Amino acid sequence: MAMRQTPLTCSGHTRPVVDLAFSGITPYGYFLISACKDGKPMLRQGDTGDWIGTFLGHKGAVWGATLNKEATKAATAAADFTAKVWDAVSGDEVLTLAHKHIVKSVNFTQDSSCLLTGGNDKTIRIYDINKPEAEPQEITGHTSAIKKALWCNNDTQILSAADDKTVRLWDRTSTAVVKQLSFDMSVSSMEYIPDGEVLVITYGKTIAFYNALSLDLIKTVDAPASIHSASLHPDKDFFVAGGDDFKLYKYDYSTKEELESYKGHFGPVHCVRFSPDGELYASGSEDGTLRLWQTEVGKTYGLWKCVLPEEENCEGRKFEETI
């Protein structure tokens, strides 16, 4: 008997969920933040999806959200022309960083001292969180709105993806472009894996993997539908992707074979990310929900209880049905 994937559904948002991010593994477990067009980013326990709190203060859709590794700080990017930094333990707003247009992306350095932002004014900014009154360092060159800007190479370089159909690698100190990739359509998402320096990019129906330092292509995989987001498993065994057809696809990274596909959402999937321990992946959708999916179906983990085929009528089966 094949085990059935039973995703955990996290409700609470009232509009499409457009971005999500996990913290690292902390002494208290790991955490998940979601960005939503309802303007109310939410923090959850990562392995169960249990709601911890909502960050209140934005006056428009929130397009990007992130946590630092320790899950002590959160940052959000919004349509109210601000990025905000929050205390992720108390929920209090720490900083509001005014921008000239909609902000789409936020990313902390590993030591949480600087915040990288990008958005519709085509400019990458680096804020020193400890000196909020100081002017940010600005990096220009993109000719359209920036979708994502990420630290890479131990925070010495920056990767950015924009609607000008390019992905650029910048030097933090000189602010010069080191390398550039051009595509025939806009890049829909970008994930950076520091371990092994892998860059995951999606555009159209394609999921592409690059070396993050050289921007040399490693491999591409074409999915059955237009893909909005993809994530590589921490051990690089699998990757998952989601997009227009409401489904989550899981692939073998080395053979590129499609292993599974699951439909649980009732709208396009906008974002998907593996947890830091690789045991689950989270997806966010147009339907306003987040869903948590097991990497290894049937394993006892978090709220999932292992069900053996011969125990068809045991508590576990009933529990699985009622999630």
Side-chain angles (χ1 to χ4, degrees):
M1 185 195 95
M3 300 300 271
R4 211 160 45 79
Q5 173 78 265
T6 308
L8 303 176
T9 302
C10 311
S11 23
H13 283 301
T14 56
R15 296 285 313 282
V17 177
V18 289
D19 192 29
L20 57 84
F22 284 100
S23 71
I25 297 169
T26 80
Y28 308 99
Y30 61 88
F31 299 89
L32 171 63
I33 191 170
S34 52
C36 180
K37 289 188 185 176
D38 63 10
K40 295 171 183 170
M42 288 185 182
L43 184 71
R44 297 175 188 273
Q45 193 71 40
D47 60 340
T48 62
D50 289 345
W51 177 83
I52 295 170
T54 302
F55 299 102
L56 297 172
H58 278 298
K59 294 177 174 63
V62 175
W63 286 102
T66 194
L67 293 164
N68 65 348
K69 277 190 307 203
E70 300 78 17
T72 53
K73 288 191 174 101
T76 49
D80 60 9
F81 292 19
T82 71
K84 289 181 188 284
V85 177
W86 312 79
D87 181 319
V89 181
S90 67
D92 295 333
E93 187 180 307
V94 178
L95 280 180
T96 293
L97 305 168
H99 287 64
K100 297 179 175 70
H101 211 308
I102 292 166
V103 191
K104 287 281 178 76
S105 177
V106 276
N107 191 226
F108 287 109
T109 45
Q110 289 173 58
D111 65 3
S112 311
S113 67
C114 291
L115 187 73
L116 185 66
T117 70
N120 287 18
D121 68 358
K122 313 170 198 170
T123 304
I124 297 165
R125 290 182 177 82
I126 302 169
Y127 290 90
D128 184 335
I129 293 168
N130 302 314
K131 298 180 192 156
E133 66 292 330
E135 285 297 309
Q137 183 181 357
E138 297 191 349
I139 302 176
T140 55
H142 277 298
T143 57
S144 291
I146 295 164
K147 275 201 174 129
K148 203 70 152 176
L150 302 171
W151 294 107
C152 69
N153 198 6
N154 292 316
D155 303 334
T156 61
Q157 294 181 312
I158 293 160
L159 284 159
S160 60
D163 285 334
D164 58 15
K165 305 177 188 170
T166 69
V167 167
R168 303 183 194 203
L169 178 67
W170 311 80
D171 182 81
R172 176 183 183 169
T173 311
S174 73
T175 72
V177 175
V178 183
K179 294 260 163 53
Q180 179 171 318
L181 295 172
S182 296
F183 298 88
D184 50 13
M185 62 187 85
S186 267
V187 166
S188 50
S189 77
M190 187 168 72
E191 178 185 50
Y192 167 65
I193 314 285
D195 179 28
E197 299 289 349
V198 180
L199 181 63
V200 188
I201 292 172
T202 61
Y203 56 93
K205 294 182 178 181
T206 303
I207 305 135
F209 300 87
Y210 290 85
N211 177 295
L213 303 184
S214 65
L215 295 191
D216 290 336
L217 181 66
I218 300 166
K219 67 181 82 178
T220 63
V221 179
D222 282 340
S226 190
I227 295 295
H228 296 167
S229 184
S231 185
L232 181 60
H233 189 273
D235 296 335
K236 304 181 184 61
D237 298 332
F238 314 108
F239 65 93
V240 289
D244 272 352
D245 65 355
F246 308 3
K247 286 183 183 174
L248 271 301
Y249 291 92
K250 182 179 165 192
Y251 291 86
D252 183 299
Y253 179 63
S254 54
T255 67
K256 310 202 290 195
E257 178 193 0
E258 184 189 316
L259 301 174
E260 298 156 5
S261 69
Y262 300 113
K263 193 166 171 185
H265 284 293
F266 297 98
V269 177
H270 291 306
C271 44
V272 60
R273 283 292 177 269
F274 272 107
S275 62
D277 63 1
E279 291 286 353
L280 61 82
Y281 48 99
S283 56
S285 165
E286 185 74 17
D287 68 14
T289 69
L290 291 146
R291 284 172 204 250
L292 306 183
W293 309 79
Q294 271 189 296
T295 303
E296 191 182 324
V297 178
K299 188 172 178 178
T300 296
Y301 179 83
L303 295 181
W304 289 284
K305 188 168 158 187
C306 179
V307 188
L308 299 169
E310 61 269 23
E311 296 172 358
E312 196 68 61
N313 301 314
C314 76
E315 288 288 5
R317 171 57 63 184
K318 274 192 269 178
F319 181 81
E320 192 187 19
E321 296 289 2
T322 55
I323 288 175

